[in-house]
Amino acid sequence: MNILILSSGTRNKIVQYFKKALEGKGKVICTDMSNLAPSIYDADKYYIVPRMTAPGYLDVILDICKKEKIDGVLSLIDPELSLLAKNRDKFEVVGTTVIGSSYDLCEMSLDKSLMYSWLKEHGYKCVKSYMNKNDFYAEVEAGIAKYPVFVKPARGSASIAISKVYDKETIELLFAHSEGLMIQEFLDGQEIGADVYIDMVSHEIVSIFTKKKILMRAGETDKAVSFKDENLYELIKKFVTEAGYNGQIDIDIFDVDGEYYISEVNTRFGGGYPHAYESGADHMKLIVNNIEGKANECVIGDNYDVGTYMMKYNEVMVKKF
């Protein structure tokens, strides 16, 4: 069995975990557009490929799948998830399973305004969002909304171009210089991350790892502590089942005065997933089982330890070319 990880970048741990899961079974192959992506050197083999928006990119990836007899493919960046999902049938023709959710769910997760609309329509507590700045101003005047707020691209990831804003003048300045922005309320509460795996054979949720975020850096969890809460598990199960996600996802949630608010979803391994793995939630093994055609048993709440702290730190790789 061979797994292909696209746009692996600096996610060395993900590559290492898949190699451990495939030990004696197959290879882990990575791609990136740069030979300075450190994760490719942890793989059994790697390919330098064009930017995913380049003409012919998909054909390049399909050729790799055929050449390397790839059984499962996944990406570690958000825009590429939609590309894979949209072309799922082309991968199936060459014998490769796309590990991930449907195209519509990948698009909804990438577009924060679509996600907000879905959550609101389905009755979930969520981060209030405004695509029209005048709607926000009107609610400020009415005493419904207040500063500070976050201004961010509606379509985006990795917390790129996000600003915490305290006044109307700054909002006007940001909207004047960028398109596709939205305004989100500031929730003063505990931020939580959930690493969730939905079985690709049974389509049941089989693993949920939850952590309280202590410190964030560049949109990723830098320090966190694991915990368990049955009420949170039930909310996640209800939301994920109703939406129809599949495979690995990462959910951002806020705990505000004991009430859980769903914020965002990434239909991939989140940057903080190593915390889950090192605490016992091995989702690579679940993926391998699924690709082999085996359904996984539900281990929610049983496959990780409480009170484990994740503390990220820098490592250095040196290469001579």
Side-chain angles (χ1 to χ4, degrees):
M1 176 187 297
N2 299 322
I3 296 287
L4 178 62
I5 303 175
L6 306 180
S7 303
S8 57
T10 59
R11 306 288 292 279
N12 294 59
K13 287 294 184 184
I14 299 296
V15 179
Q16 293 166 14
Y17 297 157
F18 267 113
K19 282 188 69 175
K20 187 173 181 180
L22 287 175
E23 192 172 0
K25 290 186 174 183
K27 296 183 296 183
V28 176
I29 295 152
C30 289
T31 71
D32 203 274
M33 59 179 286
S34 171
N35 67 345
L36 297 181
S39 62
I40 62 177
Y41 300 107
D42 273 327
D44 294 300
K45 190 174 183 179
Y46 68 86
Y47 288 84
I48 304 301
V49 298
R51 186 180 294 273
M52 64 155 288
T53 53
Y57 174 79
L58 183 65
D59 290 331
V60 171
I61 301 305
L62 288 168
D63 285 343
I64 294 172
C65 288
K66 287 186 282 188
K67 181 180 178 181
E68 299 294 342
K69 295 181 175 57
I70 298 298
D71 295 282
V73 60
L74 69 149
S75 176
L76 298 180
I77 62 170
D78 293 312
E80 200 164 30
L81 301 170
S82 294
L83 179 69
L84 291 177
K86 190 175 184 178
N87 293 280
R88 190 181 299 270
D89 57 339
K90 294 180 180 178
F91 284 94
E92 289 177 354
V93 168
V94 299
T96 303
T97 298
V98 172
I99 301 163
S101 296
S102 68
Y103 174 77
D104 288 344
L105 283 174
C106 288
E107 282 292 290
M108 184 175 81
S109 300
L110 184 60
D111 190 317
K112 297 172 181 64
S113 64
L114 291 177
M115 175 60 72
Y116 170 66
S117 297
W118 189 95
L119 289 167
K120 188 177 178 183
E121 288 169 7
H122 290 78
Y124 290 92
K125 290 183 173 66
C126 54
V127 183
K128 192 164 187 179
S129 304
Y130 307 82
M131 287 302 296
N132 187 321
K133 65 182 188 296
N134 292 320
D135 292 341
F136 170 69
Y137 297 152
E139 293 205 351
V140 170
E141 288 291 327
I144 299 170
K146 63 180 181 179
Y147 294 96
V149 292
F150 286 105
V151 175
K152 60 179 69 174
R155 289 179 67 88
S157 60
S159 293
I160 295 172
I162 291 181
S163 301
K164 192 174 183 181
V165 176
Y166 294 84
D167 53 63
K168 182 177 180 178
E169 291 74 19
T170 306
I171 289 178
E172 287 294 318
L173 182 65
L174 291 169
F175 271 74
H177 286 83
S178 299
E179 295 182 352
L181 295 180
M182 68 186 299
I183 299 169
Q184 283 191 333
E185 71 172 321
F186 169 70
L187 288 181
D188 188 10
Q190 173 65 58
E191 190 170 357
I192 291 165
D195 298 283
V196 182
Y197 189 74
I198 305 97
D199 195 272
M200 296 188 294
V201 174
S202 69
H203 304 294
E204 299 290 332
I205 303 162
V206 294
S207 178
I208 300 173
F209 173 85
T210 51
K211 57 184 176 285
K212 295 179 181 179
K213 300 181 181 182
I214 298 170
L215 182 67
M216 300 291 291
R217 179 173 57 173
E220 290 193 356
T221 307
D222 202 48
K223 302 182 192 300
V225 59
S226 64
F227 77 107
K228 298 179 182 181
D229 182 352
E230 289 296 333
N231 291 330
L232 180 55
Y233 292 158
E234 290 304 314
L235 172 65
I236 291 170
K237 286 190 282 187
K238 180 178 183 296
F239 163 62
V240 170
T241 301
E242 193 169 1
Y245 286 102
N246 200 35
Q248 176 71 30
I249 66 171
D250 168 71
I251 309 174
D252 290 333
I253 301 159
F254 284 90
D255 178 355
V256 182
D257 298 326
E259 296 285 345
Y260 289 119
Y261 290 71
I262 297 173
S263 175
E264 298 177 10
V265 178
N266 297 309
T267 52
R268 54 169 171 78
F269 283 100
Y273 171 73
H275 189 182
Y277 183 93
E278 299 293 346
S279 299
D282 182 354
H283 290 186
M284 282 65 184
K285 181 173 67 176
L286 303 181
I287 288 173
V288 170
N289 286 342
N290 279 173
I291 293 176
E292 290 178 338
K294 305 171 188 173
N296 292 290
E297 294 183 2
C298 178
V299 290
I300 295 172
D302 296 328
N303 63 335
Y304 70 92
D305 296 325
V306 171
T308 62
Y309 284 81
M310 179 186 73
M311 298 158 277
K312 282 188 179 178
Y313 61 96
N314 293 330
E315 293 185 29
V316 174
M317 179 179 289
V318 177
K319 288 282 182 182
K320 186 174 181 180
F321 300 101

